Amino acid sequence: MKANQTVLKEFILVGFSSYPHVRTFLFVLFFGLYLLTLTGNLAILGLTWADRSLHTPMYLFLRALSFSETCYTLTIIPKMLADLLT
């Protein structure tokens, strides 16, 4: 019995270029999640900064995580959304 000798040399990711209605739906979906994520993280940052009783180590750690996720979100998602539009 012979084994399959096929070797994969390249992989082409087609994406959604032939389905513009799917691209529009995904753009709206990801943009909505982007805004929701930013709103939540900015709310956590604002509340932990404004309320003095939340200046405990647990909330400061939560604030640091929220800040790092905000920076990550502001960097990655706009590039992804721009790729969906092109």
Side-chain angles (χ1 to χ4, degrees):
M1 180 179 231
K2 268 185 139 173
N4 187 359
Q5 300 296 320
T6 305
V7 177
L8 183 63
K9 294 184 180 183
E10 62 184 42
F11 179 76
I12 299 173
L13 184 61
V14 176
F16 298 106
S17 59
S18 59
Y19 305 107
H21 60 285
V22 173
R23 290 173 51 189
T24 305
F25 171 74
L26 288 175
F27 176 81
V28 171
L29 176 72
F30 288 137
F31 186 69
L33 291 173
Y34 171 68
L35 291 178
L36 184 68
T37 302
L38 282 180
T39 304
N41 285 327
L42 292 175
I44 290 172
L45 286 170
L47 288 172
T48 56
W49 180 75
D51 192 355
R52 190 97 172 129
S53 67
L54 298 178
H55 289 194
T56 61
M58 179 179 72
Y59 289 107
L60 293 177
F61 182 67
L62 181 64
R63 186 176 177 189
L65 286 175
S66 190
F67 176 75
S68 68
E69 185 180 359
T70 301
C71 291
Y72 175 76
T73 303
L74 287 172
T75 303
I76 300 298
I77 303 297
K79 291 179 185 177
M80 185 181 71
L81 291 174
D83 287 343
L84 275 175
L85 288 177
T86 58

